[in-house]
Structure formats: structure tokens, C-alpha cells
Amino acid sequence: MQPHPCILAEKNGAFAHRQAALPWRLALIGLLVLLGLAPSRVLAVALKDVEFTTLPGGQVRIDLVLSAPTTTTVQDFATDSPARIVIDLPAVTSELPRKNVQIDVGPVQSLTALDAQGRTRIVINLTSLVPYQVLSLGDRVTVAINEKTIAAPEGNGALLGEAGRAATARASPELRAVDFQRGPGGEGRVLVKLPTEKTRVSVQDKGGKVVAEVLDTSLPERLRRRLDVADFGTPVVAIETRAQGRDVEISVATAKDHEYLAYQVNETFTLEFRAPSPKERGRRQRERVTFTGDRLSLNFQDIEVRAVLQLLADFTGLNLVASDTVTGNVTLRLKNVPWDQALDIILKAKGLTMRQKGNVIMVGPTEEVMAREEKELEASRKFEELAPLRTEYIQINYAKAADIAKLLETRQITTGQAMANLGQTTGKAMAEQEQAEVKGLLSSRGSVTADERTNTLLVLETAEKLAEIRQLVARLDIPVRQVMIESRVVIATDNFARELGVRFGYNRLEVNEKTGNFNEIYGSQRGTLKGEDYWGTTIDDTVPLMVDLPAINATSGINFLVGKIGSYLLQLELTAMQEEGRGEIVANPRVITSDKQAALIEVGQRVPIVTPGTVDQPATVKYEDATLKLDVTPHITPDNRIIMGLKVSKDEADAVLAVDGNPYINKRTVETNVLVDNGETVVLGGVFERSRFSNKDQVPWLGDLPILGTLFKNDSRQETNKELLIFVTPRILQEELKTR
């Protein structure tokens, strides 16, 4: 490849062009000389060379070097399948030393130049369709493949190509929708709503996924997502949509065995995936066969098949045995093909089959080979039937001998399907049952017996079957991993109560009124006022209170004498109460169990529930559980996570609430299925209860007075908070197990 004669540099959004002066002067002198010799050839522009440059990020720039600047318009277009860029250079002839130029850089594979009908067509072969730009500048046509937008110098060139024109237009249009549908035949359809029906889409396989690239399109934020569609039962597992520069990439993860079809109707582009038919699956299996032998060339006209087989045996150095029934001639012309592929072609053409054992190849007609193998199998079966039986004792260490014996034995199972008897109004059901036989590992002559006391298998079988049974037992008789499940049940309570009350009444004036001696006033009494006179004589007035709204279970109080009316004293008593409490109940049950084995731990009491007796029947007692219980079945996944089926309950008797002496049972239960990492704590659930009560008793109208109304009413407020939280932590017990 010739060095680049000019330098294109991007500066201030334009290309700076520098030419080597001396070579162009010599070229001009040559053109003047040719002008007199061949006028028709001088006026034509020729394609002299192709130069390419690799840029970072998979970008490639290809320069088409012309003999002179072209005055015609360069035309270009692209195709999706196969992925190609086609550039037409009118009035340009090709003087390249060869038509095909191998590039193999980035997405570009090769370039082909075709000269016909007064123009030169340049075909650039790509691995996948990518954005491109075409720049015509003087005696060069530059193709920028997978590059960012480049600018043309003012007045010196034109930026061409669809990607180039899009660079000067407004922002790329947005993708409208990405959806998924399941077809009637179980096929999965990925529906892409394009901005316009002219939007280009490139589809290719990348890393086991099918990727659709919507070119020159932007992705709105609402479509930037991943769709998990595995539950639809189609070959499609997931769909992920993301932006890739100026394009949108839709990646479809699929099952291993599938086939897909891409088509577009108006603005809807569809990728349809379906499971291949058995015929297609067989064809793929045949195509998957690879040949690795040394390459050779064969060119024969009407040669005997046995002679060709002899040539192949000599070429490979293998021993070859051909049956006497291998006859006939064959004409073939094979050039540079692996020898094993050539042998396969010859055998298929003549209806032959080969079998290789070591370095010996045996060739014969297919029917003859199959008949011989069938006889060998029949002889093997007869030998097995006549082989002597042996008795062997197999010790089972971890599993149950009876369970493994069931796997080895041939047993009958009952299958059936219930059908409703529509003729009966009672809705009776009839069942059709079928007996099916599940084959075990034992032969028809073998037997197995399990001894539960020593956990040993007694097997009577042939030596070959005994070896298979020992392998099976070694695979199944392994220690089961164990899991410790720790649960924590937390019940937290927080209560607050406040009450303010008042009592208002009067008391009579006693003897010696002139000296001003009055009875002592006492409070904190209900109904009437009691007291003692000055000399200690007890008096008991039955005059009721005017206001009787005291605080219940008061923790403090104060009495006031507020006035005198005649021989009576007015008495005021204020009482108050405030309670505040916090409590926490923590239960921490733990249990250890084996993988996939249910475990239960329960602690608590049984509360008697008495049913009163009658004249004819005595009283009965029934017990209800009020326990803390943890019921769990763990399953260890291959990636050391734990799936747990859990039921946690914390029931207790309420000593405050009861009916006929039988207490209420407060129940707290959580039942769920969770997937947890080893050693990770998960909150299964929680219940938060809050109760607030506010009560006011007052004297009508007087209790509504500002400030003074407090003396004529009772205010109480109560608040209770309860919270239940259940935590679970599973841990896989790591033990070093010694294999015997």
C-alpha cells in the first residue's frame, strides 16, 4: 500500500488540505504530453489507488485516490443484507492493479472496484451495517466508516451519504415503542415501532444473542429498560434496549435452540423467534459436523470405489477393510477438501457406512453394517442372560437403604385422570387409571433387598450390573448439607396515659361560730364529704357533691377552700394521673435441619378452654396452643443461596380479656416463601398498631368556659403503640466431610 500523499486534519470544523507540489507538477507535464497523443484518454479521470487508515473505536477511513478532481456528483447507497456500502463514481475509470482489496479492519472486510458503462462502482463489504459518510475533496473521495460527524471545507467539497446528511439535519428521531407478544404457535415476537418506515435496522448475532441496531435513532428514557419474558414459554428470555451513540441497540437473549425471522411492515419491525422443527433440528445437527483431516484434491472419471478407498487409506496411513459387497464406480472432482469430508461424500454417494475402531476403518453397505450390529447386540443380550449372578453387600452410609432399593427396582405406578360424570346431578367423579412401569437399574434376573437394621443393600446381579449399581450408590450416598435457621420475633409496646379530674362540693360550719372554728376539710372521697370538727368529733354529711369528675386511679391531688355561704364552706379538689410504660418481648428460636427436610421447633403452653355443662351433659375442657413455633423447609440452591418455606407464629393467652373465664388467644403468624443469601438476615414481615383515645366529661356549659372550664370537667388521653417484627437468618453449616 502506498503512503498517504496528503494530510487531512480536522481544524475549526474544516479539512486543511496540503498537497505535495512537485509530484503534481510532474503529473501536469505528463497530462500535457498525453493531450496531443490521446485526447479521448486525457479528459477521463482514473482511480489510481486505495488507501485506508485505522482510527480508535473501530473507525476506518478509506481514501479513493483519483488521477484528477472529478466534476461529477458522487452517488452512494447502502444495503442491509448483505451489509455493503456502494459508491458510484461517474466518468471515472479504474486503473487499480487488482479488483479486490482485502482490508479486514474493524467492520470493513474488503473493497471491490468494478469498471463498466462509463463509471466505476466501489463496493465496500462490511461485517455489519454501520454509519458512514462520504466526502468528495479534490482528487480524493474519502469514506469515513463508523466515525463521528466530519465536516467538509467550505467551498472545497461536499459531504455526502445518508449519515452525512443526517449530521446536518435536526436531532435523530425517537424510537416509538418496543413490545413483546406470544404467537399462537408458541413463537415469541419482538415488535419495534420505528420513527419512520425508512429507518434502517441491522440484525446480527453477538455472543449468543440476537442484536437489532436501529440506526440514526435516539432512545427515550421510558424505553430504556429490560423486559423479562421468560414466563411466556417462548424461545425469548429477555429483551434489553439501550442507546449506543447515535443508534439504539435492542439485545434479545434467547434459548439455546431457536430460529428467527426478521421482517418489516410499514413502521413496525418484527423479530420472530420459534423453536426449530425436528427436521430443521436434524439438519442443523448434520451441518454441525466439522471435518479436521488433512486437505487433498481428487479428480477421477469413472473410477472404482474400492480404488478410491485404497487411495484414502494410503493418504491417511489408516488400515481400511472394505466389505466384498462394496462395488461400483464413482466420478468425482474434489479440490482442497479434508480427507474425512471426502470419505464422507463418497460413502453417502454410494450408500455405504463406515465404523472406526482405533486406526482401523471398516466400510460396507449401510444395510449390511446395521444387520451385523443388530446381531452383535442380540448376542450381547443373550450373553447377559446367561452371565452368572453374584451376590454383593453394599453398605449405605448416609441415605436410607430402602430408598435406594426403590430406585433400583422395576416398579408399577398408577396414572389416571378424573372425569366428571355430567349425567349425575350429585357431581360424582369417575377415574380412568392406567398402570405404567418404571424401569430400574436391575436386570430381569437381578434382585435387591434392603436391611434396615444395618442399612445395607443385598444385591444379586451380574458383574456388569453390579459395577453400575456401585457407581450409582457412590453418586447418591453422600452427606446432605445442613442449614441452621435462626428466627427472632420482636414485640415492642409503648403506652402513655394522662388524666385530670375535679370534685366540687360544700361542708357545714360547726359550733363556736363566733370564734371562727370550722371543720377540717378532707378530699379524695366519692359521693359525700366527710370530716372531723375542731374537737375531733366525726361528722358524716349526706350532702352530695356538686361536681364529681375525679381522675381514676389518681396519683396526686390537692384540696382548696374557695368560699363560704352561710354556715357552709365551698370545697374544691383537683386530682391528676399520668402513666407511661415501654416493653419489649424478644423470642429467638433456632433449628438445624438437612437440605429439603422440614423442621419444627415449638415452645409454650396449652390454654384450657372450658365449655360449661348442662343438665344432660357435663362440662368439657379443650386445650388451645399458645406457643412460639418455627416451621421451616430449606432448599440449598447450586449458588449457595437458600430457598425457605417458612411459618413463624407467636401465640399467647391474654390474661385481661376473657369470656366465661376463658382467656383470649392473641395470634401472630407469618407464612411465606423467601430466597435468601447464606448468612443474610431478612425481615419477613411486620405489623405496627397505634391506638389513641381522648375522653372528656364536663358540666354542661360551664366546662366550655375558657380557663375556668377546667374546674368543671375531666380530661383523659391514652396512647398505645405495638409493633411486631420477625427476622430470619439462615446459615449453611460448613463441615469438612471425609470421603471413605
Side-chain angles (χ1 to χ4, degrees):
M1 189 66 63
Q2 298 295 326
H4 205 300
C6 63
I7 300 175
L8 294 177
E10 189 172 355
K11 181 180 180 182
N12 298 326
F15 276 104
H17 183 71
R18 188 178 66 184
Q19 297 181 337
L22 183 58
W24 283 108
R25 292 176 181 175
L26 296 177
L28 182 60
I29 295 174
L31 289 174
L32 294 177
V33 173
L34 292 174
L35 184 61
L37 298 177
S40 61
R41 297 287 295 175
V42 171
L43 297 178
V45 179
L47 176 62
K48 305 294 291 183
D49 199 359
V50 174
E51 300 175 353
F52 59 90
T53 306
T54 304
L55 301 177
Q59 305 175 35
V60 181
R61 182 173 297 181
I62 301 176
D63 288 330
L64 307 177
V65 183
L66 307 178
S67 61
T70 178
T71 57
T72 58
T73 302
V74 179
Q75 300 174 354
D76 68 279
F77 62 92
T79 61
D80 292 341
S81 182
R84 291 175 178 174
I85 299 174
V86 181
I87 302 173
D88 285 339
L89 305 176
V92 175
T93 60
S94 176
E95 295 184 0
L96 296 177
R98 57 185 182 277
K99 293 182 178 180
N100 296 320
V101 179
Q102 199 69 23
I103 298 178
D104 291 331
V105 174
V108 182
Q109 291 181 330
S110 61
L111 180 146
T112 303
L114 304 174
D115 187 3
Q117 299 179 355
R119 66 176 179 178
T120 296
R121 168 164 289 188
I122 306 298
V123 180
I124 302 175
N125 300 305
L126 307 175
T127 57
S128 61
L129 192 60
V130 293
Y132 72 95
Q133 303 169 44
V134 180
L135 178 70
S136 179
L137 184 62
D139 60 345
R140 287 178 175 270
V141 176
T142 301
V143 185
I145 299 175
N146 209 21
E147 282 194 52
K148 298 180 180 179
T149 304
I150 62 175
E154 297 182 1
N156 292 331
L159 187 63
L160 305 177
E162 295 184 11
R165 287 188 288 271
T168 60
R170 63 178 183 271
S172 302
E174 290 187 348
L175 194 68
R176 297 166 61 183
V178 177
D179 204 353
F180 176 80
Q181 288 182 357
R182 186 183 190 277
E187 62 272 12
R189 294 172 182 162
V190 181
L191 306 177
V192 182
K193 201 72 173 179
L194 303 176
T196 64
E197 61 182 10
K198 296 183 179 179
T199 303
R200 294 186 299 168
V201 182
S202 173
V203 181
Q204 55 185 322
D205 290 332
K206 287 184 178 180
K209 297 182 179 180
V210 178
V211 179
E213 294 182 355
V214 185
L215 305 180
D216 198 22
T217 303
S218 60
L219 180 65
E221 191 64 29
R222 60 183 176 85
L223 297 181
R224 194 185 304 268
R225 60 188 180 181
R226 174 184 172 87
L227 301 177
D228 189 350
V229 295
D231 294 339
F232 283 86
T234 69
V236 182
V237 176
I239 306 168
E240 185 174 359
T241 307
R242 56 179 177 267
Q244 290 287 347
R246 296 173 54 88
D247 307 329
V248 175
E249 182 179 280
I250 303 172
S251 177
V252 182
T254 60
K256 293 183 178 179
D257 198 6
H258 70 276
E259 57 185 10
Y260 71 91
L261 175 66
Y263 56 90
Q264 181 176 342
V265 178
N266 296 330
E267 299 173 353
T268 302
F269 179 81
T270 304
L271 278 173
E272 183 173 309
F273 297 82
R274 66 179 63 200
S277 62
K279 183 178 180 180
E280 177 66 17
R281 192 178 290 110
R283 183 186 65 81
R284 291 186 180 183
Q285 185 67 27
R286 291 191 299 270
E287 291 179 353
R288 210 173 282 133
V289 178
T290 57
F291 299 98
T292 58
D294 295 336
R295 296 180 177 273
L296 53 76
S297 297
L298 299 174
N299 188 355
F300 295 104
Q301 182 74 23
D302 197 23
I303 187 175
E304 291 185 359
V305 175
R306 302 176 69 89
V308 177
L309 295 177
Q310 182 63 41
L311 288 174
L312 292 176
D314 294 339
F315 179 80
T316 59
L318 297 176
N319 300 315
L320 187 141
V321 178
S323 173
D324 294 340
T325 54
V326 176
T327 57
N329 296 348
V330 64
T331 298
L332 53 88
R333 184 180 184 275
L334 301 175
K335 184 177 182 180
N336 197 26
V337 297
W339 71 265
D340 46 356
Q341 183 178 7
L343 178 60
D344 183 70
I345 293 172
I346 296 171
L347 296 179
K348 289 180 179 179
K350 303 303 292 184
L352 303 175
T353 299
M354 78 164 187
R355 295 290 185 268
Q356 183 173 357
K357 294 183 179 180
N359 65 341
V360 178
I361 297 177
M362 294 177 289
V363 178
T366 303
E367 296 80 2
E368 180 181 330
V369 173
M370 293 179 63
R372 182 173 66 249
E373 291 178 345
E374 185 177 353
K375 291 181 180 179
E376 292 176 354
L377 290 175
E378 184 66 24
S380 177
R381 282 195 295 268
K382 290 183 178 180
F383 176 79
E384 184 178 347
E385 293 176 358
L386 298 176
L389 298 179
R390 294 175 51 192
T391 301
E392 186 162 337
Y393 304 95
I394 301 178
Q395 178 68 49
I396 306 300
N397 299 318
Y398 304 102
K400 292 183 179 180
D403 294 340
I404 295 183
K406 291 180 181 179
L407 295 176
L408 299 177
E409 293 175 332
T410 300
R411 58 192 184 279
Q412 301 286 336
I413 63 171
T414 302
T415 61
Q417 182 178 8
M419 299 188 304
N421 186 0
L422 301 179
Q424 299 289 337
T425 57
T426 57
K428 294 182 179 179
M430 300 174 59
E432 289 186 353
Q433 296 183 348
E434 297 178 356
Q435 293 291 332
E437 185 179 86
V438 178
K439 299 294 290 183
L441 196 61
L442 295 176
S443 65
S444 58
R445 302 166 57 205
S447 64
V448 60
T449 303
D451 180 32
E452 295 183 0
R453 187 177 64 85
T454 60
N455 205 36
T456 304
L457 290 179
L458 288 75
V459 185
L460 180 64
E461 260 296 358
T462 62
E464 183 179 357
K465 283 292 183 179
L466 285 174
E468 296 179 8
I469 292 173
R470 282 193 296 269
Q471 291 179 359
L472 176 64
V473 170
R475 186 69 178 269
L476 299 180
D477 187 25
I478 59 176
V480 180
R481 304 175 72 181
Q482 295 183 337
V483 183
M484 182 180 71
I485 296 94
E486 178 180 359
S487 178
R488 187 180 295 269
V489 182
V490 180
I491 304 173
T493 58
D494 184 3
N495 58 74
F496 174 81
R498 176 181 293 169
E499 187 175 359
L500 179 64
V502 62
R503 292 199 300 174
F504 184 64
Y506 54 88
N507 201 353
R508 289 189 303 175
L509 179 67
E510 288 300 324
V511 296
N512 200 9
E513 180 178 357
K514 295 180 179 180
T515 61
N517 293 324
F518 302 94
N519 333 344
E520 193 72 25
I521 304 298
Y522 292 92
S524 301
Q525 301 295 327
R526 287 182 176 271
T528 59
L529 294 172
K530 293 182 179 180
E532 295 180 355
D533 59 16
Y534 184 76
W535 296 275
T537 303
T538 301
I539 58 174
D540 189 356
D541 272 335
T542 58
V543 180
L545 294 173
M546 297 173 63
V547 178
D548 186 17
L549 300 173
I552 307 301
N553 300 324
T555 59
S556 60
I558 186 171
N559 291 329
F560 297 95
L561 294 175
V562 295
K564 175 185 177 184
I565 301 176
S567 61
Y568 289 90
L569 299 176
L570 298 179
Q571 178 185 351
L572 175 68
E573 179 185 270
L574 298 178
T575 55
M577 181 273 295
Q578 180 170 325
E579 290 182 353
E580 191 172 344
R582 292 181 177 85
E584 185 177 280
I585 301 175
V586 179
N588 187 207
R590 301 182 184 182
V591 65
I592 297 177
T593 183
S594 299
D595 184 22
K596 301 177 185 177
Q597 296 296 320
L600 173 66
I601 184 171
E602 185 174 12
V603 61
Q605 58 185 355
R606 305 192 72 189
V607 180
I609 306 297
V610 180
T611 302
T614 62
V615 178
D616 301 328
Q617 188 175 3
T620 59
V621 179
K622 182 176 67 173
Y623 290 89
E624 293 287 342
D625 291 334
T627 60
L628 169 65
K629 182 168 64 175
L630 172 62
D631 189 352
V632 60
T633 303
H635 169 51
I636 303 175
T637 63
D639 57 351
N640 279 341
R641 295 198 289 177
I642 304 167
I643 301 174
M644 294 183 294
L646 279 162
K647 183 176 181 181
V648 183
S649 61
K650 177 77 169 67
D651 303 338
E652 60 183 11
D654 194 330
V656 178
L657 300 177
V659 177
D660 294 334
N662 299 321
Y664 279 69
I665 304 296
N666 297 327
K667 301 186 73 65
R668 304 175 183 90
T669 303
V670 172
E671 186 171 358
T672 184
N673 244 313
V674 293
L675 173 63
V676 187
D677 289 335
N678 181 28
E680 180 184 10
T681 299
V682 62
V683 182
L684 292 185
V687 178
F688 180 77
E689 300 179 25
R690 170 176 289 178
S691 58
R692 292 180 177 178
F693 299 97
S694 180
N695 188 44
K696 181 172 69 172
D697 298 327
Q698 68 178 22
V699 177
W701 300 297
L702 296 179
D704 295 330
L705 295 175
I707 302 175
L708 293 178
T710 307
L711 303 177
F712 299 95
K713 63 183 177 182
N714 176 289
D715 280 330
S716 63
R717 181 169 65 91
Q718 185 176 359
E719 181 175 335
T720 303
N721 298 325
K722 294 182 179 180
E723 188 171 10
L724 168 66
L725 293 173
I726 300 177
F727 305 87
V728 174
T729 305
R731 290 184 176 87
I732 301 175
L733 299 183
Q734 304 291 342
E735 297 180 353
E736 295 184 1
L737 302 176
K738 298 181 179 180
T739 304
R740 295 182 59 184

